[in-house]
Amino acid sequence: MDVCALSRPFDDQSYMRIRLEADAVYLILDKVQKGKYELITSPVHLREIGDNDDFEEKLQLLSLLQRFSKRTNYDIGEAKMRAEGLISKGFGMADAAHLAFAEQAADTFISCDDKLLRKCKTTDLAVKVMNPIKFCDEERLR
């Protein structure tokens, strides 16, 4: 999951879509806690969370990653080259880096960012990309 998805529970829950995505994130995290899935983190997570101005949200996200995420070894040079290639295809720097690291360590990348999700549909990636609701639906999580 990218930081956009991990942060969904902190967004304005008065919007139905946001509330549904937040519930999906909670459901996924529950399954992570129970060992069904792994939450993989990369240096991009720590950078984006560190840039968050909301101190409480920052602390909770860092605590969540510390408790539930799995860190992995990445080939930084390979990730940099892949990210540069994705940037040349119109991806933003952080999104490109997230995807480059995800391709090395995960089979699914989850985001709530519609623009990113649309861009991924037109790009050949070595990882499935979807929003948390679609992930829960495909995995039949309840």
Side-chain angles (χ1 to χ4, degrees):
M1 276 192 271
D2 68 0
V3 176
C4 176
L6 290 170
S7 295
R8 197 47 120 189
F10 298 96
D11 294 336
D12 183 352
Q13 300 297 305
S14 66
Y15 295 96
M16 179 64 76
R17 174 193 170 172
I18 291 173
R19 193 167 53 245
L20 291 171
E21 288 175 343
D23 286 346
V25 166
Y26 284 132
L27 187 56
I28 295 165
L29 291 174
D30 178 63
K31 300 301 181 189
V32 167
Q33 184 178 10
K34 292 177 179 172
K36 181 173 175 81
Y37 303 108
E38 290 182 332
L39 178 63
I40 307 291
T41 58
S42 75
V44 182
H45 286 92
L46 301 177
R47 175 68 185 256
E48 285 188 338
I49 292 170
D51 289 343
N52 189 330
D53 292 332
D54 184 325
F55 185 72
E56 181 66 27
E57 181 178 340
K58 182 188 301 190
L59 284 178
Q60 288 197 33
L61 289 172
L62 289 172
S63 175
L64 180 137
L65 292 183
Q66 183 178 19
R67 288 175 42 219
F68 300 115
S69 72
K70 176 185 175 198
R71 291 201 170 90
T72 189
N73 294 322
Y74 295 101
D75 182 328
I76 300 296
E78 180 183 319
K80 182 179 179 188
M81 285 180 26
R82 178 61 171 149
E84 288 171 354
L86 291 170
I87 290 168
S88 73
K89 293 180 180 186
F91 286 88
M93 189 179 305
D95 291 336
H98 263 305
L99 289 166
F101 284 118
E103 285 183 325
Q104 288 187 32
D107 57 358
T108 305
F109 180 78
I110 300 170
S111 179
C112 295
D113 183 333
D114 288 338
K115 183 179 174 185
L116 172 60
L117 293 168
R118 280 190 304 274
K119 187 76 180 154
C120 288
K121 285 182 182 178
T122 63
T123 306
D124 186 31
L125 298 169
V127 64
K128 289 192 308 186
V129 179
M130 62 186 74
N131 80 7
I133 295 171
K134 183 175 181 185
F135 179 83
C136 288
D137 188 46
E138 285 193 7
E139 293 292 311
R140 295 175 167 49
L141 300 184
R142 306 281 182 254

